[in-house]
Amino acid sequence: MFTVMSEAKRKRVFSGIQPTGNIHIGNYLGAIRHWASSQVGFDNIFCIVDLHAITTSQDPRMLRTRIRQAATLLFAAGIDPRLSAVFVQSHVSAHAELAWILNCLIPMGWMQRMTQFKEKSQKQKERVLVGLFDYPALMAADILLYETDLVPVGEDQKQHLELTRDVAQRFNSTYGLTFKLPEPVIPRKGARIMGLDDPTKKMSKSGSRPGHAVYLLDSPEEIRSKIMGATTDSLREIHFDKGRPALHNLLVIYELFTGLRRAEIEARFKGKGYIDLKRDLAEVIIEGLRPVQQRYRELTMDAAYIDSLLVGGVSKVRPIAEKTLLIVKEKIGLR
Ligand code: ATP
Ligand code: LTN
């Protein structure tokens, strides 16, 4: 018999995405697709993390557009507003407040170990913002405000999740049990899709070269040209081999979009070359993204509908966040 799990027993899922640029197939294969496919049976919250976005400089008009675009793409990719709350981080002030409180519990040394900060700040040197350094505290606040059980993310966020658990534990041992310890959920495959122009760097929204990433809203022509131009090695045989990172990356993308087994893919390209693989891969991506793009186009025709979904989302989550913040304030003597 079909049984509906009671609200109280359902595990809470929380994740976030930055509205900093065009959403790419790395975000999709590593995160969004999983958020969409495992909504049933969970209590899901997905956040457009605009306060994280401003840790690097953003053009105000562009940022406003990208917040709405990110929300629309989540719904287009299958996030169902009946099963999941989608909201904009800055609309719930408890995130910034709890981040400040956590700042006052996190030793500098923990933050200095964060590899994402080290990588991102290398490029910016002295211009790097304090907010970027503090990014993991805000992320911990996002997660801990909602008694989150599971955090589905790509591989790059693993260390931030560890810091979140560490700060939750430190709070609990200082002030008594308050926060649940969240578990990261990192997909076995596709958790780190690499740049098409450089298979040693993860595909990223901030990748500057045009051939770096396939974006979810790219046209078929753009997808073909990016995939045909992707870096490869000079060997011939097509098979899954981590020692050949550029080819491996293309094959993983192929695998995830088709759902085929590795042996089937290798058999399909036996005796064939890179051109065949790339041609086929481009079509597979185009077909895979077609329904998302179609739904996106439909949704953009009704901006008021997206706004109403975001209002619905924030009204579901704000009371949860405010309740947690109140408890925290009481525990530490602010009330
Ligand atoms: P930026 O490059 O600006 O830091 P980003 O591309 O990493 O942005 P986020 O908004 O920070 O994007 O990430 C959204 C989700 O996508 C996160 O769960 C993240 O782990 C995942 N993700 C990002 N890049 C990849 C990738 N290359 N492969 C797999 N998952 C990824
Ligand atoms: N840092 C994350 C985005 C993010 C997030 C979160 C993810 C912000 N807050 C809370 C999971 C849970 C990133 O993908 N770069």
Side-chain angles (χ1 to χ4, degrees), residues 8 48 58 70 112 135 165 167 181 275:
I48 313 295
Q58 303 294 330
Q112 277 158 344
Y135 182 113
R165 289 171 60 92
V167 66
L181 298 188
I275 302 270

Side-chain angles (χ1 to χ4, degrees), residues 17-18 24 26-27 120 154 156 191 193 202-206:
I17 185 155
Q18 299 188 75
H24 50 77
N27 301 132
K120 289 201 174 183
D156 60 321
I193 299 295
K202 104 175 168 94
M203 190 176 281
S204 153
K205 294 204 206 77
S206 36

